Amino acid sequence: MAGEMRAMAASQAKRLKSSNEETENQEENGHQDKRFKRSQEDVEDQNKKFPKRKIVLLMAYSGKGYHGMQRNVGSSQFKTIEDDLVSALVQSGCIPENHGEDMKKMSFQRCARTDKGVSAAGQIVSLKIWLIDDVLEKINNCLPSHIRILGLKRVTGGFSSKNKCDARTYFYMIPTFAFAHKDHDIQVETYRLSKETLEKVNKLLACYKGTHNFHNFTSQKGPKDPSAKRYIMEMYCEEPFVREGMEFAVIKVKGQSFMMHQIRKMIGLVIAVVKGYAPESIMERSWGEEKVDVPKAPGLGLVLEKVHFEKYNRRFGNDGLHEPLEWIEEEEKIAVFKEQHIYPTIINTEREEQSMVNWLSTLSIHDFNATSSGVQVNDRHSKENQVHQRIADLRKEGLWSLRRLPKLQEAARPKSHQDYLLEEMQWMATDFVQERRWKTATAKKLIRNVVRYHEDKRLHKERSKKAEQNRLRRIASSAAREIEHFWSSIKQVVELKLQVEEERMKKPSNVQEISKRGTWLLFYQDIFQKILTRWKW
């Protein structure tokens, strides 16, 4: 019995001790959180002393492992470049934490939205930050090594990197075996691009110059959509070069703006023509109203090289207050970043994943002759036999991977009732989505108006209360002045009355003295009269 009592007492003591330790740990964690919040608030308060200005940042980054440039707010599943950038801006103290959650508060705008896996050597973003000391160094210290801020310049208050941009220049680094003809040339890394093939590639690329309807080179745009027309200033392929035993070439394209996947599909169609899968006439046909099957090249080799602000530079570049948005001094840094991060990433990834090889194996599946009207329908069985034969040839050459089989495209056929039903269902789904977006936007607008109404009402109430307090203060001040004036007047009356009373008290003594003096004067007058009479004057 005594042993059981001792055991219970020991267990009770342990529970008390553990509860005390937990309480101490909670208090310590709470103090740590408070200290962290206090230190963060101190940093923000300290940075508020610095001026907040509109600036542009020159960025360079390797897009491997990221789902594009633009941030997906509220979704942490897909990591983007802007996620790391905003986090670095908050950690370095350039922006407050709430601006990282709502990027509109810092007027953030990117010049170009790069797709998944696409890199950049001259991306420009505009935003408002606190111009703290050593701002570039502090931001880069919070960024990974494959994302760098290479330059910073002040701009006008209404500047937007997206709207003020006149043109954008991309380059696509491609292995030259992608231009090897499917029937005449070898399809391996030892292939070298001939002068004749390079001239043919540049001839096809030059066809893109000018304004064309690129609705076949993107998604969710129809042939009559005016936004599908884009202006291409120049597009050409440079001389090839060899890196680590593999020959590469760089295709450069400059245009006012580009749609999603547009450049990759432009290059993919040229590759299909050069390799012999599609005729040259498909270039002109792809700009027409009919639907054309255009292949999309891998995004690995695509890089945003430079953005142009020619109109802005002409207007504000020489006004004495702002600098022209030209990055001549940063060109060496850009070249070093390309050599250290962009080129090695493209080459190593191409060797490891063979993205271009796997994509080239799918070109035979595309039907470049069929259109949406069903002209020249191929037989399904012969198509399957052709695909399987192509797979067998690639497997013999060691260029086929079983881990990534291409999808078999169904041959074109006349429309049936099910097709029309599916189109109607797709239209209804799109209509429902648009209606839902409209309702969401309307609800947001209504909520903002309600919040603004209550905020205005609260401010009006506060202003009325403050005005009433000021009115009461004025009344009290006026009453105090009147009371002070009254008592000062009473004081003067009392003093005057006391003075009159003193004079009244002094008056009898003066009369007696005067009468006394008058008696003496009469006495002296009698004596003087007697003297005059005696001497008879």
Side-chain angles (χ1 to χ4, degrees), residues 27-187:
E27 291 179 354
E28 184 177 357
N29 293 332
H31 290 311
Q32 289 179 356
D33 293 339
K34 289 181 180 178
R35 284 196 298 269
F36 176 75
K37 291 180 179 179
R38 193 180 299 113
S39 63
Q40 191 172 7
E41 291 176 356
D42 293 340
V43 171
E44 290 186 2
D45 292 339
Q46 184 178 2
N47 290 340
K48 285 181 181 179
K49 299 177 182 178
F50 293 96
K52 194 173 186 180
R53 297 290 185 265
K54 191 70 170 289
I55 55 98
V56 293
L57 297 177
L58 175 64
M59 290 185 63
Y61 54 83
S62 174
K64 183 181 179 181
Y66 291 90
H67 286 74
M69 171 70 181
Q70 188 174 7
R71 188 183 188 192
N72 300 315
V73 180
S75 175
S76 59
Q77 181 181 0
F78 302 107
K79 188 178 181 181
T80 62
I81 299 294
E82 288 181 5
D83 289 332
D84 289 348
L85 175 61
V86 172
S87 177
L89 291 173
V90 173
Q91 293 178 16
S92 60
C94 294
I95 59 173
E97 188 174 0
N98 61 340
H99 286 197
E101 299 171 358
D102 187 1
M103 300 174 68
K104 292 182 180 179
K105 293 183 178 180
M106 57 177 170
S107 303
F108 186 91
Q109 189 59 261
R110 70 206 61 82
C111 187
R113 293 184 299 176
T114 54
D115 298 334
K116 176 183 176 182
V118 177
S119 303
Q123 174 72 281
I124 298 293
V125 296
S126 59
L127 70 162
K128 289 183 179 180
I129 65 171
W130 286 315
L131 290 180
I132 60 178
D133 297 332
D134 302 327
V135 57
L136 291 183
E137 183 180 355
K138 291 181 180 179
I139 296 175
N140 285 325
N141 289 337
C142 301
L143 286 171
S145 59
H146 54 270
I147 302 177
R148 294 286 95 179
I149 305 297
L150 303 180
L152 180 150
K153 288 187 178 182
R154 285 278 307 279
V155 291
T156 57
F159 181 85
S160 173
S161 58
K162 177 183 176 182
N163 299 331
K164 297 295 183 181
C165 182
D166 301 319
R168 298 158 177 86
T169 299
Y170 286 82
F171 75 82
Y172 191 89
M173 186 174 173
I174 180 173
T176 55
F177 64 77
F179 297 122
H181 197 278
K182 65 183 180 66
D183 298 325
H184 307 148
D185 300 323
I186 58 174
Q187 308 292 319

Side-chain angles (χ1 to χ4, degrees), residues 4 25-26 35 50 82 106 221 227 248 262 272 277 288 305 311 338 405 420-421 438-439 483 498 503 514 535-536:
E4 293 178 356
N25 291 333
Q26 290 178 357
R35 284 196 298 269
F50 293 96
E82 288 181 5
M106 57 177 170
K221 286 191 182 294
S227 63
F248 289 89
Q262 179 184 343
Y277 288 105
E305 184 178 32
K311 293 181 180 178
K338 288 180 183 178
L405 292 175
Y420 289 107
L421 179 62
W438 175 81
K439 289 181 178 179
I483 292 172
L498 290 176
E503 289 179 356
I514 290 170
W535 291 98
K536 295 182 181 180

Side-chain angles (χ1 to χ4, degrees), residues 525-537:
Q525 185 179 2
D526 293 338
I527 294 174
F528 187 71
Q529 188 67 29
K530 289 178 179 181
I531 293 172
L532 289 175
T533 305
R534 184 176 180 182
W535 291 98
K536 295 182 181 180
W537 285 3

Side-chain angles (χ1 to χ4, degrees), residues 179-428:
F179 297 122
H181 197 278
K182 65 183 180 66
D183 298 325
H184 307 148
D185 300 323
I186 58 174
Q187 308 292 319
V188 293
E189 298 178 3
T190 56
Y191 173 82
R192 295 295 181 262
L193 186 65
S194 63
K195 185 177 181 181
E196 293 77 12
T197 306
L198 179 60
E199 291 178 355
K200 183 178 181 180
V201 171
N202 280 322
K203 179 183 176 182
L204 294 172
L205 293 175
C207 296
Y208 287 119
K209 292 182 180 180
T211 302
H212 301 286
N213 192 339
F214 288 97
H215 70 95
N216 281 312
F217 295 81
T218 186
S219 58
Q220 300 178 352
K221 286 191 182 294
K224 296 183 179 180
D225 191 344
S227 63
K229 292 185 178 181
R230 300 298 165 111
Y231 176 60
I232 305 300
M233 300 175 182
E234 59 181 6
M235 191 171 185
Y236 60 93
C237 181
E238 296 180 344
E239 292 291 332
F241 57 91
V242 179
R243 287 288 183 95
E244 300 182 10
M246 185 185 300
E247 189 180 57
F248 289 89
V250 172
I251 298 176
K252 288 193 175 183
V253 54
K254 179 182 179 181
Q256 283 184 342
S257 60
F258 300 95
M259 297 177 289
M260 184 173 62
H261 306 318
Q262 179 184 343
I263 298 177
R264 294 165 61 184
K265 286 199 171 188
M266 291 166 67
I267 295 174
L269 188 59
V270 170
I271 293 175
V273 174
V274 174
K275 292 187 75 66
Y277 288 105
E280 293 187 16
S281 60
I282 197 173
M283 302 284 291
E284 295 287 341
R285 191 154 52 89
S286 65
W287 302 326
E289 293 188 359
E290 63 182 17
K291 190 70 176 176
V292 177
D293 186 10
V294 179
K296 180 175 64 177
L300 175 63
L302 186 59
V303 179
L304 174 62
E305 184 178 32
K306 188 178 181 180
V307 290
H308 307 269
F309 299 93
E310 297 172 359
K311 293 181 180 178
Y312 176 85
N313 291 338
R314 285 197 298 268
R315 183 173 180 182
F316 298 104
N318 299 318
D319 63 353
L321 299 175
H322 304 90
E323 300 178 78
L325 297 183
E326 298 174 351
W327 309 94
I328 300 176
E329 298 178 356
E330 287 77 12
E331 288 182 355
E332 185 177 354
K333 297 179 183 178
I334 295 174
V336 172
F337 186 87
K338 288 180 183 178
E339 294 292 337
Q340 292 181 352
H341 297 281
I342 295 180
Y343 295 151
T345 300
I346 295 175
I347 296 172
N348 296 333
T349 306
E350 179 61 36
R351 287 188 177 278
E352 295 172 1
E353 300 179 2
Q354 295 186 344
S355 59
M356 182 59 69
V357 174
N358 293 332
W359 175 77
L360 291 174
S361 65
T362 65
L363 287 178
S364 59
I365 302 174
H366 293 273
D367 192 353
F368 297 101
N369 296 319
T371 64
S372 59
S373 60
V375 179
Q376 191 179 354
V377 179
N378 294 327
D379 182 73
R380 178 180 297 181
H381 297 290
S382 62
K383 192 70 176 178
E384 291 180 356
N385 293 333
Q386 182 182 359
V387 171
H388 288 300
Q389 182 63 36
R390 180 63 180 163
I391 291 174
D393 294 340
L394 291 173
R395 187 180 289 117
K396 289 180 182 179
E397 297 175 4
L399 300 177
W400 182 259
S401 175
L402 295 177
R403 295 175 297 177
R404 188 176 181 180
L405 292 175
K407 292 183 180 179
L408 181 63
Q409 185 179 11
E410 185 178 358
R413 55 179 176 77
K415 280 189 176 181
S416 62
H417 174 72
Q418 184 181 6
D419 295 326
Y420 289 107
L421 179 62
L422 292 175
E423 288 181 0
E424 187 69 18
M425 292 174 65
Q426 185 177 5
W427 175 83
M428 291 180 65

